[in-house]
Amino acid sequence: MHAVREWLKHARSVAVLTGAGVSAESGVPTFRGNNGLWKRYRPEDLATPDAFARDPKLVWEWYDWRRSLIAQAKPNEGHYALAELEKRVPSFSLITQNVDGLHELSGSRNVLNLHGSIWKVRCTGCERESVDRQTPLPEIPPKCECGALLRPGVVWFGEALPPRIWQDAETATRSADIFLLVGTSAIVYPAAGLVQIAKASGARVVEINIAETVLSDRIDEFLQGRSGELLPQLIA
Ligand code: NAD
Ligand code: ZN
């Protein structure tokens, strides 16, 4: 912990990759390490193009439920600590796999949303994208004015990441002196691949998680604990 604080004090460029764990203390459920969350389905079976093609109503019911939870959630001390860190480091990028928008709400500026936003909807017909914050949705599955089905504006398993955002994330990772990995199981690619890029580019990689992950013994420092507690300590 002491070493990491020193590194951060002198860092010129910091990149952070966050996952669902950073929002867990805000009451937003993570995908893994939790069970019995929703009916009898696993998130991995619902967040896919196939699932949506098979049963758009079921997928939208799940998203509507997640939207209702996220609508009540507030940023926690971990989100705020990252927003504060951004003010102190000359070059700072916050790459997130989360779709909840809590980083922006806590004041973070340079946020790269790798997996989109749960508040966005996109037409499967005319491809128009818009923001819809209604929850519960008045109609499930929701439809576009053109008559086609709307889909959540998120990146599903098996889909490509938005190319520009991914490029920016790679660039930020390559130039980072310190790469922080926070609250992610680090098994969803390509996001997890940023850790290898960071290492190969000579960054110090620091992980914060309540439990070890597949990457924990391949990085410079593993800090075990809740991000809402450890992140404020790191910048205190
Ligand atoms: P994940 O559910 O696979 O893993 C969560 C990780 O967070 C685990 O390693 C767990 O040990 C850790 N964790 C839990 N509570 C923590 C805490 N308080 N402090 C620190 N670490 C904690 O999540 P993932 O790696 O982000 O990947 C799953 C995918 O799920 C992502 O693509 C993301 O888009 C999506 N997702 C997003 C949200 C959200 O927006 N909040 C929530 C669930 C899932
Ligand atoms: Zn349309």
Side-chain angles (χ1 to χ4, degrees):
M1 169 70 89
H2 179 72
V4 181
R5 284 168 65 154
E6 286 305 307
W7 296 343
L8 280 176
K9 256 187 223 160
H10 303 292
R12 279 174 304 112
S13 176
V14 173
V16 186
L17 174 64
T18 65
V22 83
S23 294
E25 290 158 80
S26 294
V28 182
T30 59
F31 275 9
R32 297 176 188 84
N34 251 323
N35 42 37
L37 265 181
W38 195 77
K39 296 191 180 176
R40 283 165 293 116
Y41 302 92
R42 294 187 311 147
E44 289 88 339
D45 296 336
L46 290 165
T48 70
D50 278 356
F52 188 71
R54 223 180 299 129
D55 195 344
K57 184 161 179 285
L58 175 71
V59 170
W60 264 116
E61 280 172 351
W62 181 58
Y63 274 91
D64 197 40
W65 171 74
R66 289 180 62 204
R67 285 160 62 103
S68 70
L69 295 179
I70 290 171
Q72 295 158 28
K74 293 186 180 66
N76 63 57
E77 292 308 315
H79 296 108
Y80 287 117
L82 290 173
E84 175 59 31
L85 184 60
E86 179 169 17
K87 295 185 192 150
R88 301 186 192 172
V89 179
S91 169
F92 183 92
S93 302
L94 180 39
I95 307 159
T96 187
Q97 301 167 88
N98 295 345
V99 295
D100 55 33
L102 292 179
H103 285 305
E104 285 93 340
L105 264 184
S106 71
S108 284
R109 295 292 193 80
N110 190 22
V111 183
L112 300 169
N113 288 299
L114 287 182
H115 293 165
S117 163
I118 201 153
W119 301 116
K120 276 195 197 148
V121 295
R122 189 165 72 244
C123 179
T124 57
C126 68
E127 306 222 320
R128 227 181 53 171
E129 204 171 78
S130 56
V131 171
D132 184 346
R133 292 187 167 267
Q134 295 180 89
T135 174
L137 287 162
E139 182 197 15
I140 289 184
K143 294 201 187 71
C144 178
E145 286 161 18
C146 80
L149 275 184
L150 292 170
R151 60 160 283 175
V154 301
V155 177
W156 281 327
F157 292 104
E159 292 185 317
L161 303 186
R164 278 292 301 279
I165 296 176
W166 173 250
Q167 235 170 42
D168 289 352
E170 261 191 352
T171 305
T173 301
R174 282 221 171 78
S175 67
D177 323 316
I178 303 194
F179 187 88
L180 290 180
L181 186 64
V182 186
T184 170
S185 54
I187 53 176
V188 178
Y189 278 81
L194 291 173
V195 178
Q196 277 89 40
I197 296 176
K199 280 254 80 172
S201 319
R204 286 181 154 131
V205 179
V206 178
E207 179 178 45
I208 296 177
N209 201 302
I210 51 170
E212 280 192 26
T213 70
V214 287
L215 295 176
S216 302
D217 55 10
R218 284 190 264 151
I219 52 152
D220 297 289
E221 189 89 22
F222 172 66
L223 302 174
Q224 184 159 17
R226 291 192 265 155
S227 49
E229 276 169 25
L230 293 182
L231 285 170
Q233 287 174 25
L234 274 186
I235 63 154

